[in-house]
Amino acid sequence: LMFTAGVWGGLVQAGGSLKLSCAASGNILNTHRMGWYRQAPGKEHQSVAIVRNGGIIDYSEFAKGRFTMSGDLSKNTVWLQMDSLKPEDTAVYFCYADISQIESNYGDTLRYSDKEYWGEGTLVTVSS
């Protein structure tokens, strides 16, 4: 699977905003979930916000009220609008996709498997 980021992370001042975008491609039969994870220095990999079928978005507690995610799963695309950023938001942010990926397609046989992918990640640094 390949991820394409329309906007990359960078240095943002506390209280500022940043919008990330991500599109997934590569023999995708169906997209079940997409969203964002992050990993801050010295902390565990954690979910930020995930959208699933039906447009239902699951936000982590720290993201509620500050982060807004939108997505179009039919186009394998998600956006993450981050507002009121805090130094504690400093982390590497990873685009995430849970998909059914085509493994082979020939004759009358379509083979696929359900897989989870994370992008290479982009560093968001929030300064105080």
Side-chain angles (χ1 to χ4, degrees):
L1 189 74
M2 179 177 294
F3 289 105
T4 301
V7 179
W8 296 93
L11 179 62
V12 183
Q13 202 167 17
S17 299
L18 184 67
K19 187 175 184 178
L20 305 179
S21 64
C22 177
S25 62
N27 297 320
I28 298 172
L29 178 64
N30 181 259
T31 301
H32 308 291
R33 296 179 295 166
M34 285 193 72
W36 301 88
Y37 281 76
R38 74 180 188 184
Q39 186 167 25
K43 296 185 178 180
E44 297 181 348
H45 195 229
Q46 63 183 171
S47 172
V48 178
I50 303 294
V51 61
R52 49 190 168 99
N53 288 334
I56 301 171
I57 300 174
D58 297 317
Y59 289 98
S60 294
E61 191 65 31
F62 66 83
K64 293 179 179 178
R66 297 191 300 124
F67 295 179
T68 303
M69 188 175 69
S70 59
D72 186 349
L73 294 183
S74 67
K75 295 181 173 60
N76 308 307
T77 303
V78 291
W79 298 264
L80 181 65
Q81 176 68 46
M82 300 183 289
D83 298 317
S84 301
L85 285 164
K86 305 174 181 179
E88 63 193 80
D89 294 318
T90 296
V92 176
Y93 285 73
F94 301 88
C95 188
Y96 164 83
D98 175 13
I99 67 169
S100 294
Q101 186 172 36
I102 298 173
E103 297 179 339
S104 63
N105 185 10
Y106 58 92
D108 296 328
T109 303
L110 174 65
R111 300 181 186 275
Y112 65 93
S113 61
D114 296 330
K115 298 181 180 180
E116 294 178 295
Y117 292 93
W118 286 264
E120 294 182 353
T122 184
L123 177 63
V124 174
T125 301
V126 184
S127 63
S128 59

Coordinates of all heavy atoms in Angstrom, one line a residue, residues 14-100:
A14 N 2.7 26.9 19.8 CA 1.6 26.5 20.6 C 0.4 27.4 20.4 O 0.5 28.7 20.3 CB 2.0 26.6 22.1
G15 N -0.8 26.8 20.3 CA -2.0 27.5 20.0 C -2.3 27.6 18.5 O -3.4 28.0 18.1
G16 N -1.4 27.2 17.7 CA -1.5 27.3 16.3 C -2.3 26.1 15.7 O -2.8 25.2 16.5
S17 N -2.4 26.0 14.4 CA -3.1 25.0 13.7 C -2.3 24.4 12.6 O -1.4 25.0 12.1 CB -4.4 25.5 13.1 OG -5.3 26.1 14.1
L18 N -2.7 23.1 12.3 CA -2.0 22.4 11.2 C -3.0 21.4 10.6 O -3.8 20.8 11.4 CB -0.8 21.7 11.6 CG 0.1 21.0 10.6 CD1 0.7 22.0 9.6 CD2 1.2 20.2 11.2
K19 N -3.1 21.3 9.3 CA -3.9 20.3 8.7 C -3.1 19.3 7.9 O -2.3 19.7 7.0 CB -4.9 21.0 7.8 CG -6.0 20.1 7.2 CD -7.1 20.9 6.4 CE -8.2 20.0 5.9 NZ -9.2 20.7 5.2
L20 N -3.4 18.1 8.2 CA -2.7 17.0 7.5 C -3.7 16.3 6.5 O -4.9 16.3 6.8 CB -2.2 15.9 8.4 CG -1.2 16.5 9.5 CD1 -0.8 15.3 10.4 CD2 0.0 17.1 8.9
S21 N -3.2 15.7 5.5 CA -4.0 15.0 4.5 C -3.3 13.7 4.1 O -2.0 13.7 4.1 CB -4.4 15.8 3.3 OG -3.3 16.2 2.5
C22 N -4.0 12.7 3.8 CA -3.5 11.4 3.4 C -4.4 10.7 2.4 O -5.6 10.7 2.7 CB -3.2 10.6 4.6 SG -2.5 9.0 4.3
A23 N -3.8 10.1 1.4 CA -4.6 9.3 0.5 C -3.8 7.9 0.3 O -2.6 7.9 0.2 CB -4.7 10.0 -0.8
A24 N -4.6 6.9 0.4 CA -4.0 5.5 0.2 C -4.4 5.0 -1.1 O -5.4 5.2 -1.7 CB -4.6 4.6 1.3
S25 N -3.4 4.2 -1.7 CA -3.7 3.6 -3.0 C -2.9 2.3 -3.0 O -1.9 2.1 -2.3 CB -3.2 4.5 -4.1 OG -1.9 4.8 -4.0
G26 N -3.3 1.4 -4.0 CA -2.6 0.2 -4.2 C -3.4 -1.1 -4.0 O -3.4 -1.7 -3.0
N27 N -4.1 -1.4 -5.1 CA -4.8 -2.7 -5.1 C -5.9 -2.8 -4.0 O -6.0 -3.8 -3.4 CB -3.9 -3.9 -5.1 CG -3.0 -3.9 -6.4 OD1 -3.4 -3.6 -7.5 ND2 -1.8 -4.3 -6.2
I28 N -6.6 -1.7 -3.7 CA -7.5 -1.7 -2.6 C -8.9 -2.2 -3.1 O -9.4 -1.6 -4.1 CB -7.6 -0.3 -2.1 CG1 -6.3 0.2 -1.5 CG2 -8.7 -0.3 -1.0 CD1 -6.3 1.6 -1.0
L29 N -9.4 -3.2 -2.5 CA -10.7 -3.7 -2.8 C -11.8 -2.9 -2.0 O -12.8 -2.6 -2.5 CB -10.8 -5.2 -2.5 CG -12.2 -5.9 -2.7 CD1 -12.6 -5.8 -4.2 CD2 -12.1 -7.3 -2.3
N30 N -11.4 -2.7 -0.8 CA -12.4 -2.0 0.1 C -11.6 -1.4 1.3 O -10.7 -2.0 1.8 CB -13.4 -3.0 0.6 CG -14.5 -2.4 1.5 OD1 -14.4 -2.5 2.8 ND2 -15.4 -1.7 0.9
T31 N -12.0 -0.3 1.7 CA -11.4 0.4 2.8 C -12.4 0.4 4.0 O -13.5 0.9 3.9 CB -11.1 1.9 2.5 OG1 -10.2 1.9 1.4 CG2 -10.4 2.5 3.7
H32 N -11.9 -0.2 5.1 CA -12.8 -0.3 6.3 C -12.6 0.8 7.3 O -13.6 1.3 7.8 CB -12.5 -1.6 7.0 CG -12.5 -2.8 6.1 ND1 -13.6 -3.3 5.6 CD2 -11.5 -3.6 5.7 CE1 -13.4 -4.4 4.8 NE2 -12.1 -4.6 4.9
R33 N -11.4 1.2 7.5 CA -11.1 2.3 8.4 C -9.9 3.1 7.9 O -9.0 2.5 7.3 CB -10.8 1.8 9.8 CG -12.0 1.2 10.5 CD -11.5 0.7 11.9 NE -10.5 -0.3 11.8 CZ -9.8 -0.7 12.8 NH1 -9.9 -0.2 14.0 NH2 -8.9 -1.7 12.7
M34 N -9.9 4.4 8.2 CA -8.7 5.2 7.9 C -8.6 6.2 9.0 O -9.6 6.6 9.7 CB -8.7 5.9 6.6 CG -8.5 5.0 5.4 SD -8.1 5.9 3.9 CE -6.5 6.6 4.2
G35 N -7.4 6.8 9.2 CA -7.3 7.8 10.2 C -5.8 8.0 10.5 O -4.9 7.9 9.7
W36 N -5.6 8.4 11.8 CA -4.2 8.8 12.2 C -3.9 8.3 13.5 O -4.7 8.2 14.5 CB -4.2 10.4 12.3 CG -4.5 11.0 11.0 CD1 -5.7 11.4 10.5 CD2 -3.6 11.4 10.0 NE1 -5.6 12.0 9.3 CE2 -4.3 12.0 8.9 CE3 -2.2 11.3 9.8 CZ2 -3.7 12.5 7.7 CZ3 -1.6 11.8 8.7 CH2 -2.4 12.4 7.6
Y37 N -2.6 7.9 13.6 CA -2.0 7.5 14.9 C -0.8 8.4 15.1 O -0.4 9.2 14.2 CB -1.5 6.1 14.9 CG -2.5 5.0 15.1 CD1 -3.4 4.7 14.1 CD2 -2.6 4.3 16.3 CE1 -4.4 3.7 14.3 CE2 -3.6 3.4 16.5 CZ -4.5 3.1 15.5 OH -5.4 2.1 15.7
R38 N -0.3 8.4 16.3 CA 0.9 9.2 16.6 C 1.7 8.6 17.7 O 1.2 7.7 18.4 CB 0.5 10.7 17.0 CG -0.1 10.8 18.5 CD -0.4 12.2 18.8 NE -0.7 12.3 20.2 CZ -1.2 13.5 20.8 NH1 -1.3 14.6 20.0 NH2 -1.4 13.5 22.1
Q39 N 3.0 9.0 17.7 CA 3.9 8.5 18.7 C 4.7 9.6 19.2 O 5.6 10.2 18.4 CB 4.7 7.3 18.3 CG 5.6 6.7 19.4 CD 6.2 5.4 19.0 OE1 6.4 5.1 17.8 NE2 6.4 4.5 20.0
A40 N 4.6 10.0 20.4 CA 5.4 11.1 21.0 C 6.6 10.5 21.6 O 6.7 9.4 21.9 CB 4.6 11.8 22.1
P41 N 7.7 11.4 21.7 CA 8.9 10.9 22.3 C 8.7 10.3 23.7 O 8.1 10.9 24.6 CB 9.8 12.2 22.4 CG 9.2 13.0 21.4 CD 7.7 12.8 21.3
G42 N 9.2 9.1 23.9 CA 9.0 8.4 25.2 C 7.7 7.8 25.5 O 7.4 7.3 26.6
K43 N 6.7 7.9 24.5 CA 5.4 7.4 24.7 C 5.0 6.3 23.7 O 5.7 6.1 22.7 CB 4.4 8.6 24.7 CG 4.6 9.6 25.7 CD 3.5 10.7 25.7 CE 3.6 11.7 26.8 NZ 2.5 12.7 26.7
E44 N 3.9 5.7 24.0 CA 3.5 4.6 23.2 C 2.7 5.1 21.9 O 2.2 6.2 21.9 CB 2.6 3.6 24.0 CG 3.3 2.9 25.1 CD 2.4 2.0 25.8 OE1 1.2 2.0 25.6 OE2 2.9 1.2 26.7
H45 N 2.7 4.2 20.9 CA 1.9 4.5 19.7 C 0.5 4.6 20.1 O 0.0 3.7 20.9 CB 2.2 3.3 18.8 CG 1.7 3.5 17.4 ND1 0.9 2.6 16.7 CD2 1.9 4.5 16.5 CE1 0.7 3.0 15.5 NE2 1.3 4.2 15.3
Q46 N -0.2 5.6 19.7 CA -1.6 5.8 20.1 C -2.5 6.3 19.0 O -2.0 7.0 18.1 CB -1.7 6.8 21.3 CG -1.2 8.2 21.0 CD -1.2 9.1 22.2 OE1 -0.7 10.2 22.2 NE2 -1.8 8.6 23.3
S47 N -3.7 6.0 19.1 CA -4.7 6.4 18.1 C -5.0 7.9 18.3 O -5.1 8.4 19.5 CB -6.0 5.6 18.2 OG -7.0 6.1 17.4
V48 N -5.2 8.6 17.2 CA -5.6 10.0 17.3 C -7.1 10.1 16.9 O -7.9 10.6 17.7 CB -4.8 10.9 16.3 CG1 -5.3 12.4 16.4 CG2 -3.3 10.9 16.7
A49 N -7.5 9.7 15.7 CA -8.8 9.7 15.3 C -9.0 8.7 14.1 O -8.1 8.7 13.2 CB -9.3 11.1 14.8
I50 N -10.0 8.0 14.1 CA -10.3 6.9 13.1 C -11.7 7.1 12.6 O -12.6 7.2 13.4 CB -10.1 5.5 13.7 CG1 -8.7 5.3 14.2 CG2 -10.3 4.5 12.6 CD1 -7.5 5.4 13.2
V51 N -11.8 7.1 11.3 CA -13.2 7.1 10.7 C -13.4 5.7 10.1 O -12.5 5.1 9.5 CB -13.3 8.1 9.6 CG1 -12.3 7.9 8.4 CG2 -14.7 8.2 9.0
R52 N -14.6 5.2 10.3 CA -15.0 3.9 9.8 C -16.3 4.0 9.0 O -16.9 5.1 8.8 CB -15.2 2.9 10.9 CG -16.0 3.4 12.1 CD -15.9 2.4 13.3 NE -16.5 2.9 14.5 CZ -17.7 2.6 15.0 NH1 -18.5 1.8 14.3 NH2 -18.1 3.2 16.1
N53 N -16.7 2.9 8.4 CA -17.9 2.9 7.5 C -19.1 3.5 8.2 O -19.3 3.3 9.4 CB -18.2 1.4 7.1 CG -17.2 0.9 6.2 OD1 -16.5 1.6 5.4 ND2 -17.1 -0.5 6.1
G54 N -19.7 4.3 7.4 CA -20.9 5.1 8.0 C -20.5 6.5 8.4 O -21.3 7.3 8.8
G55 N -19.2 6.8 8.2 CA -18.7 8.1 8.6 C -18.5 8.3 10.1 O -18.4 9.5 10.5
I56 N -18.5 7.3 10.8 CA -18.4 7.4 12.3 C -16.9 7.6 12.6 O -16.1 6.8 12.2 CB -18.9 6.1 13.0 CG1 -20.4 5.9 12.7 CG2 -18.7 6.2 14.5 CD1 -21.0 4.6 13.1
I57 N -16.7 8.6 13.4 CA -15.3 9.0 13.8 C -15.1 8.7 15.3 O -15.9 9.2 16.1 CB -15.0 10.4 13.5 CG1 -15.2 10.7 12.0 CG2 -13.6 10.8 13.9 CD1 -15.0 12.1 11.6
D58 N -14.0 8.0 15.6 CA -13.7 7.8 17.0 C -12.4 8.6 17.3 O -11.4 8.4 16.7 CB -13.3 6.3 17.2 CG -14.5 5.4 16.9 OD1 -15.6 5.7 17.4 OD2 -14.3 4.3 16.3
Y59 N -12.6 9.6 18.2 CA -11.6 10.5 18.6 C -11.0 10.0 20.0 O -11.7 9.6 20.9 CB -12.1 11.9 18.8 CG -12.4 12.6 17.6 CD1 -13.7 12.7 17.1 CD2 -11.4 13.2 16.8 CE1 -14.1 13.4 16.0 CE2 -11.7 13.9 15.6 CZ -13.1 14.0 15.2 OH -13.4 14.7 14.1
S60 N -9.7 10.1 20.1 CA -9.1 9.9 21.4 C -9.4 11.1 22.2 O -9.7 12.2 21.8 CB -7.6 9.7 21.2 OG -7.2 8.6 20.5
E61 N -9.4 10.8 23.5 CA -9.8 11.9 24.5 C -9.0 13.2 24.3 O -9.6 14.3 24.4 CB -9.6 11.3 25.9 CG -10.3 12.2 27.0 CD -11.8 12.3 26.8 OE1 -12.4 11.3 26.3 OE2 -12.4 13.3 27.1
F62 N -7.7 13.1 24.1 CA -6.9 14.3 24.0 C -7.2 15.1 22.7 O -6.9 16.3 22.6 CB -5.4 13.9 23.9 CG -5.0 13.1 22.7 CD1 -4.6 13.8 21.6 CD2 -4.8 11.8 22.8 CE1 -4.2 13.1 20.5 CE2 -4.4 11.0 21.7 CZ -4.1 11.7 20.5
A63 N -7.9 14.4 21.7 CA -8.2 15.1 20.5 C -9.6 15.8 20.5 O -9.8 16.6 19.6 CB -8.1 14.1 19.3
K64 N -10.4 15.4 21.3 CA -11.8 15.9 21.4 C -11.8 17.4 21.6 O -11.2 17.9 22.5 CB -12.6 15.2 22.4 CG -12.9 13.7 22.1 CD -13.7 13.0 23.2 CE -13.9 11.6 22.9 NZ -14.7 10.9 24.0
G65 N -12.5 18.1 20.8 CA -12.7 19.5 20.9 C -11.6 20.3 20.3 O -11.7 21.5 20.1
R66 N -10.5 19.7 19.9 CA -9.4 20.4 19.3 C -9.1 19.9 17.9 O -8.7 20.7 17.0 CB -8.1 20.3 20.1 CG -8.2 20.9 21.5 CD -6.9 21.0 22.2 NE -6.3 19.6 22.4 CZ -5.1 19.3 21.9 NH1 -4.3 20.2 21.3 NH2 -4.6 18.1 22.2
F67 N -9.2 18.6 17.7 CA -8.9 18.0 16.4 C -10.2 17.6 15.7 O -11.2 17.2 16.3 CB -8.0 16.8 16.5 CG -6.7 17.0 17.1 CD1 -5.8 15.9 17.3 CD2 -6.2 18.3 17.4 CE1 -4.5 16.1 17.8 CE2 -5.0 18.5 17.9 CZ -4.1 17.4 18.1
T68 N -10.2 17.8 14.4 CA -11.3 17.4 13.6 C -10.9 16.6 12.4 O -10.0 17.1 11.6 CB -12.1 18.6 13.1 OG1 -12.5 19.4 14.2 CG2 -13.3 18.2 12.3
M69 N -11.4 15.4 12.2 CA -11.0 14.6 11.1 C -12.2 14.5 10.1 O -13.4 14.3 10.6 CB -10.6 13.2 11.5 CG -10.0 12.3 10.4 SD -9.4 10.8 11.0 CE -10.9 9.9 11.4
S70 N -11.9 14.5 8.9 CA -12.9 14.2 7.8 C -12.3 13.2 6.9 O -11.1 13.0 6.8 CB -13.2 15.5 7.1 OG -12.1 16.1 6.5
G71 N -13.2 12.5 6.2 CA -12.6 11.5 5.3 C -13.6 11.1 4.2 O -14.8 11.3 4.3
D72 N -13.1 10.5 3.2 CA -13.9 10.0 2.1 C -13.3 8.6 1.9 O -12.4 8.4 1.1 CB -13.9 10.8 0.9 CG -14.8 10.4 -0.2 OD1 -15.3 9.2 -0.1 OD2 -15.0 11.1 -1.2
L73 N -13.9 7.6 2.5 CA -13.4 6.2 2.4 C -13.5 5.7 1.0 O -12.7 4.8 0.6 CB -14.1 5.3 3.4 CG -13.8 5.6 4.9 CD1 -14.5 4.6 5.7 CD2 -12.3 5.7 5.1
S74 N -14.5 6.2 0.2 CA -14.6 5.7 -1.1 C -13.4 6.2 -2.0 O -13.1 5.6 -3.0 CB -15.9 6.2 -1.8 OG -15.9 7.6 -1.9
K75 N -12.8 7.2 -1.6 CA -11.6 7.7 -2.3 C -10.3 7.5 -1.5 O -9.3 8.0 -1.8 CB -11.7 9.2 -2.5 CG -12.9 9.6 -3.5 CD -12.9 11.0 -3.8 CE -14.0 11.4 -4.9 NZ -15.3 10.9 -4.5
N76 N -10.5 6.8 -0.4 CA -9.3 6.4 0.5 C -8.5 7.6 0.9 O -7.3 7.6 0.9 CB -8.4 5.4 -0.3 CG -9.1 4.2 -0.8 OD1 -9.9 3.5 -0.1 ND2 -9.0 4.0 -2.1
T77 N -9.2 8.6 1.3 CA -8.6 9.9 1.7 C -9.1 10.4 3.0 O -10.3 10.3 3.3 CB -8.9 11.0 0.6 OG1 -8.5 10.5 -0.7 CG2 -8.2 12.3 0.9
V78 N -8.2 10.9 3.8 CA -8.6 11.5 5.1 C -7.8 12.8 5.3 O -6.8 13.0 4.8 CB -8.3 10.5 6.3 CG1 -9.3 9.4 6.3 CG2 -6.9 10.1 6.3
W79 N -8.4 13.7 6.2 CA -7.8 14.9 6.6 C -7.9 15.0 8.1 O -8.8 14.5 8.7 CB -8.6 16.1 6.0 CG -8.5 16.2 4.5 CD1 -7.7 16.9 3.7 CD2 -9.5 15.5 3.6 NE1 -8.0 16.7 2.4 CE2 -9.1 15.9 2.3 CE3 -10.5 14.6 3.8 CZ2 -9.7 15.4 1.1 CZ3 -11.2 14.2 2.6 CH2 -10.8 14.6 1.3
L80 N -6.9 15.6 8.7 CA -6.9 15.9 10.1 C -6.6 17.4 10.3 O -5.5 17.8 10.0 CB -5.8 15.0 10.8 CG -5.7 15.2 12.3 CD1 -7.0 14.7 13.0 CD2 -4.5 14.4 12.9
Q81 N -7.6 18.1 10.8 CA -7.4 19.5 11.2 C -7.1 19.5 12.7 O -7.9 19.1 13.5 CB -8.7 20.3 10.9 CG -8.6 21.7 11.3 CD -7.7 22.5 10.5 OE1 -7.6 22.5 9.3 NE2 -6.9 23.3 11.2
M82 N -5.9 20.0 13.0 CA -5.5 20.2 14.4 C -5.4 21.6 14.8 O -4.7 22.4 14.2 CB -4.1 19.5 14.6 CG -4.1 18.0 14.2 SD -2.5 17.2 14.5 CE -1.5 18.0 13.2
D83 N -6.2 22.0 15.8 CA -6.3 23.3 16.3 C -5.9 23.4 17.7 O -5.8 22.3 18.4 CB -7.7 23.9 16.1 CG -8.2 24.0 14.7 OD1 -7.4 24.4 13.8 OD2 -9.3 23.6 14.5
S84 N -5.5 24.5 18.2 CA -5.1 24.7 19.6 C -4.0 23.7 20.0 O -4.1 23.1 21.1 CB -6.4 24.6 20.5 OG -7.3 25.6 20.2
L85 N -3.1 23.6 19.2 CA -2.0 22.7 19.4 C -1.2 23.0 20.7 O -1.0 24.2 21.0 CB -1.1 22.6 18.2 CG -1.6 21.9 17.0 CD1 -0.8 22.2 15.8 CD2 -1.6 20.4 17.3
K86 N -0.8 22.0 21.4 CA 0.0 22.1 22.6 C 1.3 21.4 22.4 O 1.4 20.5 21.6 CB -0.8 21.4 23.8 CG -2.2 21.9 24.0 CD -2.9 21.1 25.0 CE -4.3 21.6 25.3 NZ -5.0 20.8 26.3
P87 N 2.3 21.8 23.2 CA 3.6 21.1 23.1 C 3.5 19.6 23.3 O 4.3 18.8 22.7 CB 4.4 21.7 24.3 CG 3.8 23.1 24.4 CD 2.3 22.9 24.1
E88 N 2.5 19.1 24.1 CA 2.3 17.7 24.3 C 1.8 17.0 23.0 O 1.8 15.7 23.0 CB 1.4 17.4 25.4 CG 0.0 17.9 25.2 CD -0.9 18.0 26.5 OE1 -0.7 18.9 27.3 OE2 -1.7 17.0 26.7
D89 N 1.4 17.7 22.0 CA 1.0 17.1 20.8 C 2.2 16.8 19.9 O 2.0 16.2 18.8 CB 0.0 18.1 20.0 CG -1.3 18.3 20.7 OD1 -1.8 17.3 21.2 OD2 -1.8 19.4 20.8
T90 N 3.3 17.2 20.3 CA 4.5 16.9 19.5 C 4.7 15.4 19.4 O 4.8 14.7 20.4 CB 5.8 17.5 20.2 OG1 5.7 19.0 20.2 CG2 7.1 17.1 19.4
A91 N 4.8 15.0 18.1 CA 4.8 13.5 17.9 C 5.0 13.3 16.4 O 4.9 14.2 15.6 CB 3.5 12.8 18.3
V92 N 5.3 12.1 16.1 CA 5.3 11.6 14.7 C 3.9 11.1 14.4 O 3.4 10.3 15.1 CB 6.3 10.5 14.4 CG1 6.2 10.0 13.0 CG2 7.7 11.1 14.6
Y93 N 3.3 11.7 13.4 CA 1.9 11.3 13.0 C 1.9 10.4 11.8 O 2.5 10.7 10.8 CB 1.1 12.6 12.7 CG 0.7 13.4 14.0 CD1 1.7 14.1 14.6 CD2 -0.6 13.3 14.5 CE1 1.4 14.8 15.8 CE2 -0.9 14.0 15.7 CZ 0.1 14.8 16.3 OH -0.2 15.5 17.5
F94 N 1.2 9.3 12.0 CA 1.1 8.3 10.9 C -0.3 8.2 10.3 O -1.3 8.0 11.1 CB 1.5 6.9 11.5 CG 2.8 6.9 12.1 CD1 3.0 7.2 13.5 CD2 3.9 6.4 11.4 CE1 4.3 7.1 14.1 CE2 5.2 6.4 12.0 CZ 5.4 6.7 13.3
C95 N -0.4 8.2 9.0 CA -1.6 7.9 8.4 C -1.9 6.4 8.5 O -0.9 5.6 8.5 CB -1.6 8.3 6.9 SG -3.1 8.1 6.0
Y96 N -3.1 6.0 8.7 CA -3.5 4.6 9.0 C -4.6 4.2 8.0 O -5.5 4.9 7.7 CB -3.9 4.5 10.4 CG -4.7 3.2 10.7 CD1 -4.0 2.0 11.0 CD2 -6.1 3.2 10.8 CE1 -4.7 0.9 11.3 CE2 -6.8 2.0 11.1 CZ -6.1 0.9 11.3 OH -6.7 -0.3 11.6
A97 N -4.5 2.9 7.6 CA -5.6 2.4 6.8 C -5.8 0.9 7.1 O -4.8 0.2 7.2 CB -5.2 2.5 5.3
D98 N -7.0 0.5 7.2 CA -7.4 -0.8 7.4 C -8.2 -1.2 6.2 O -9.3 -0.7 5.9 CB -8.3 -1.0 8.7 CG -8.9 -2.4 8.9 OD1 -8.4 -3.3 8.2 OD2 -9.7 -2.5 9.7
I99 N -7.6 -2.1 5.3 CA -8.2 -2.3 4.0 C -8.3 -3.8 3.7 O -7.6 -4.7 4.4 CB -7.4 -1.7 2.9 CG1 -6.0 -2.3 2.8 CG2 -7.2 -0.2 3.2 CD1 -5.2 -1.9 1.6
S100 N -9.1 -4.1 2.7 CA -9.0 -5.4 2.0 C -8.2 -5.2 0.8 O -8.6 -4.4 -0.1 CB -10.4 -5.9 1.7 OG -11.2 -6.2 2.8

